[in-house]
Amino acid sequence: MTKGPWNASAILLALAGLLVSGIGIYFLAFRPALLPEDIRFIGLSPTEVAQLGPRLAPWLSNVFHMLGGFALAAGVVTIALAATSYRERSPAAVLAASLGGTVSIVLMAIVNFDINSDFKWLLAGFALVWASSLVAFAFEGSIDGARRTASTRRGTSK
């Protein structure tokens, strides 16, 4: 099947994949073991952080590297999906984009609101880019359907 154009839905999905990849790179390369928001959420005193930090930091570093790797992989796969079967308007691609985005960036945004993260609005914006790709996909489909209907009507009226 021939790939469709790089329309708004595919561009937005690829952008969402790029953003999720960026989250992965941040977790792999830059995220410290404990952010101030982490300490606020779990309610540790400075003394408790000083006592626990040296034992907790190596473990959290491993956790965030693993999470970063998964986020980077999810972002790369999302970009590939946008560049291929999403542009072909495959129903399986829409299902994959819907489920994948829900359990990745949307869930991450929800959890960040739950913990009152400093990054909650940024992640909500990332989730909005992903959701916009699905809305654009549906809108583009309705436009394509209307064009096909109009074309068919013109062809049968001759």
Side-chain angles (χ1 to χ4, degrees):
M1 184 178 237
T2 304
K3 289 184 194 77
W6 273 99
N7 47 28
S9 63
I11 291 167
L12 287 166
L13 187 63
L15 178 58
L18 185 63
L19 293 170
V20 171
S21 293
I23 292 168
I25 291 168
Y26 169 74
F27 275 71
L28 280 167
F30 303 109
R31 193 197 193 282
L34 286 171
L35 293 168
E37 66 189 44
D38 301 325
I39 296 166
R40 277 194 318 265
F41 181 78
I42 56 180
L44 293 177
S45 70
T47 304
E48 291 169 319
V49 171
Q51 291 173 347
L52 191 56
R55 292 180 294 175
L56 187 60
W59 178 75
L60 285 174
S61 181
N62 286 330
V63 169
F64 290 126
H65 284 144
M66 179 270 312
L67 179 62
F70 269 95
L72 182 55
V76 168
V77 170
T78 301
I79 292 166
L81 182 70
T84 57
S85 58
Y86 201 72
R87 287 173 53 206
E88 294 169 359
R89 306 203 54 81
S90 164
V94 177
L95 180 62
S98 298
L99 293 175
T102 300
V103 299
S104 63
I105 192 62
V106 172
L107 183 58
M108 186 179 283
I110 289 169
V111 167
N112 275 266
F113 272 90
D114 187 46
I115 66 171
N116 198 26
S117 165
D118 297 339
F119 298 98
K120 64 187 173 198
W121 291 108
L122 178 66
L123 291 169
F126 290 3
L128 184 60
V129 171
W130 162 80
S132 296
S133 76
L134 297 174
V135 170
F137 190 94
F139 182 72
E140 293 160 357
S142 66
I143 289 173
D144 288 346
R147 285 182 186 149
R148 280 192 297 277
T149 301
S151 176
T152 301
R153 285 183 184 155
R154 281 193 305 269
T156 56
S157 65
K158 290 184 178 180

